[in-house]
Short mmCIF file of all heavy atoms in Angstrom, two decimals:
data_model
loop_
_atom_site.label_atom_id
_atom_site.label_comp_id
_atom_site.label_asym_id
_atom_site.label_seq_id
_atom_site.Cartn_x
_atom_site.Cartn_y
_atom_site.Cartn_z
N ARG A 128 19.69 40.98 -7.86
CA ARG A 128 18.96 40.78 -6.66
C ARG A 128 17.80 39.85 -6.95
O ARG A 128 17.12 40.06 -7.90
CB ARG A 128 18.48 42.08 -6.12
CG ARG A 128 17.85 41.77 -4.73
CD ARG A 128 17.26 43.00 -4.06
NE ARG A 128 18.31 44.00 -3.83
CZ ARG A 128 18.09 45.17 -3.34
NH1 ARG A 128 16.94 45.49 -2.96
NH2 ARG A 128 19.02 46.10 -3.22
N ALA A 129 17.59 38.80 -6.13
CA ALA A 129 16.52 37.93 -6.32
C ALA A 129 15.18 38.66 -5.91
O ALA A 129 15.14 39.47 -5.18
CB ALA A 129 16.70 36.72 -5.44
N PRO A 130 14.05 38.16 -6.55
CA PRO A 130 12.82 38.71 -6.09
C PRO A 130 12.50 38.50 -4.72
O PRO A 130 13.08 37.62 -4.03
CB PRO A 130 11.79 38.01 -7.01
CG PRO A 130 12.56 37.07 -7.78
CD PRO A 130 13.97 37.14 -7.52
N ARG A 131 11.53 39.21 -4.15
CA ARG A 131 11.09 38.94 -2.75
C ARG A 131 10.65 37.48 -2.57
O ARG A 131 10.08 36.91 -3.44
CB ARG A 131 9.99 39.90 -2.32
CG ARG A 131 10.50 41.30 -2.25
CD ARG A 131 9.61 42.19 -1.41
NE ARG A 131 10.27 43.38 -1.04
CZ ARG A 131 11.13 43.51 -0.14
NH1 ARG A 131 11.41 42.52 0.71
NH2 ARG A 131 11.59 44.72 0.29
N PRO A 132 10.80 36.97 -1.32
CA PRO A 132 10.31 35.56 -0.99
C PRO A 132 8.87 35.34 -1.43
O PRO A 132 8.50 34.20 -1.81
CB PRO A 132 10.61 35.28 0.37
CG PRO A 132 11.73 36.32 0.70
CD PRO A 132 11.44 37.47 -0.27
N THR A 133 8.01 36.30 -1.23
CA THR A 133 6.62 36.05 -1.51
C THR A 133 6.35 35.92 -3.05
O THR A 133 5.41 35.28 -3.44
CB THR A 133 5.82 37.27 -0.98
OG1 THR A 133 6.28 38.48 -1.51
CG2 THR A 133 5.74 37.24 0.45
N ALA A 134 7.26 36.46 -3.84
CA ALA A 134 7.16 36.19 -5.27
C ALA A 134 7.74 34.88 -5.77
O ALA A 134 7.48 34.43 -6.79
CB ALA A 134 7.85 37.32 -5.97
N LEU A 135 8.39 34.28 -4.90
CA LEU A 135 9.02 32.90 -5.15
C LEU A 135 8.19 31.80 -4.51
O LEU A 135 8.64 30.66 -4.57
CB LEU A 135 10.42 32.89 -4.65
CG LEU A 135 11.51 33.76 -5.23
CD1 LEU A 135 12.83 33.61 -4.53
CD2 LEU A 135 11.58 33.44 -6.77
N ASP A 136 7.16 32.05 -4.03
CA ASP A 136 6.35 31.07 -3.22
C ASP A 136 6.02 29.97 -4.23
O ASP A 136 5.19 30.17 -5.12
CB ASP A 136 5.07 31.62 -2.60
CG ASP A 136 4.30 30.61 -1.78
OD1 ASP A 136 4.95 29.66 -1.45
OD2 ASP A 136 3.20 30.93 -1.51
N THR A 137 6.55 28.76 -4.02
CA THR A 137 6.23 27.65 -5.00
C THR A 137 4.94 26.83 -4.53
O THR A 137 4.59 25.87 -5.25
CB THR A 137 7.49 26.66 -4.91
OG1 THR A 137 7.78 26.20 -3.64
CG2 THR A 137 8.71 27.39 -5.51
N GLU A 138 4.40 27.18 -3.45
CA GLU A 138 3.13 26.50 -2.90
C GLU A 138 1.94 26.78 -3.79
O GLU A 138 1.16 26.05 -4.08
CB GLU A 138 2.95 26.72 -1.53
CG GLU A 138 4.00 26.11 -0.53
CD GLU A 138 4.12 24.67 -0.60
OE1 GLU A 138 3.16 24.00 -0.77
OE2 GLU A 138 5.22 24.23 -0.49
N THR A 139 1.95 28.06 -4.35
CA THR A 139 0.79 28.44 -5.10
C THR A 139 1.03 28.25 -6.51
O THR A 139 0.11 28.42 -7.34
CB THR A 139 0.60 30.05 -4.89
OG1 THR A 139 1.86 30.61 -5.30
CG2 THR A 139 0.35 30.35 -3.54
N GLY A 140 2.15 27.57 -6.97
CA GLY A 140 2.37 27.26 -8.27
C GLY A 140 3.68 27.80 -8.76
O GLY A 140 4.23 28.74 -8.17
N PRO A 141 4.23 27.27 -9.88
CA PRO A 141 5.57 27.79 -10.28
C PRO A 141 5.51 29.16 -10.97
O PRO A 141 4.53 29.41 -11.68
CB PRO A 141 5.98 26.71 -11.40
CG PRO A 141 4.69 26.15 -11.75
CD PRO A 141 3.79 26.20 -10.65
N ARG A 142 6.46 29.97 -10.54
CA ARG A 142 6.55 31.33 -11.12
C ARG A 142 7.86 31.46 -11.76
O ARG A 142 8.87 30.71 -11.33
CB ARG A 142 6.31 32.40 -10.02
CG ARG A 142 4.93 32.30 -9.52
CD ARG A 142 4.73 33.43 -8.44
NE ARG A 142 3.48 33.25 -7.86
CZ ARG A 142 2.94 34.07 -7.01
NH1 ARG A 142 3.77 34.97 -6.57
NH2 ARG A 142 1.76 33.87 -6.49
N SER A 143 8.15 32.35 -12.59
CA SER A 143 9.38 32.51 -13.24
C SER A 143 10.23 33.34 -12.22
O SER A 143 9.83 34.18 -11.56
CB SER A 143 9.28 33.15 -14.55
OG SER A 143 9.15 34.53 -14.51
N VAL A 144 11.56 32.93 -12.25
CA VAL A 144 12.54 33.67 -11.42
C VAL A 144 13.18 34.73 -12.25
O VAL A 144 13.83 34.45 -13.25
CB VAL A 144 13.65 32.65 -10.98
CG1 VAL A 144 14.70 33.30 -10.19
CG2 VAL A 144 12.99 31.64 -10.13
N GLU A 145 12.86 35.98 -11.87
CA GLU A 145 13.26 37.12 -12.63
C GLU A 145 14.34 37.89 -11.83
O GLU A 145 13.94 38.42 -10.77
CB GLU A 145 12.14 38.00 -13.04
CG GLU A 145 12.55 39.14 -13.96
CD GLU A 145 11.33 39.90 -14.33
OE1 GLU A 145 10.24 39.40 -14.45
OE2 GLU A 145 11.47 41.14 -14.44
#
Side-chain angles (χ1 to χ4, degrees):
R128 187 181 302 179
R131 293 205 163 275
T133 53
L135 294 175
D136 185 17
T137 57
E138 295 297 322
T139 59
R142 298 184 183 179
S143 83
V144 176
E145 185 177 326

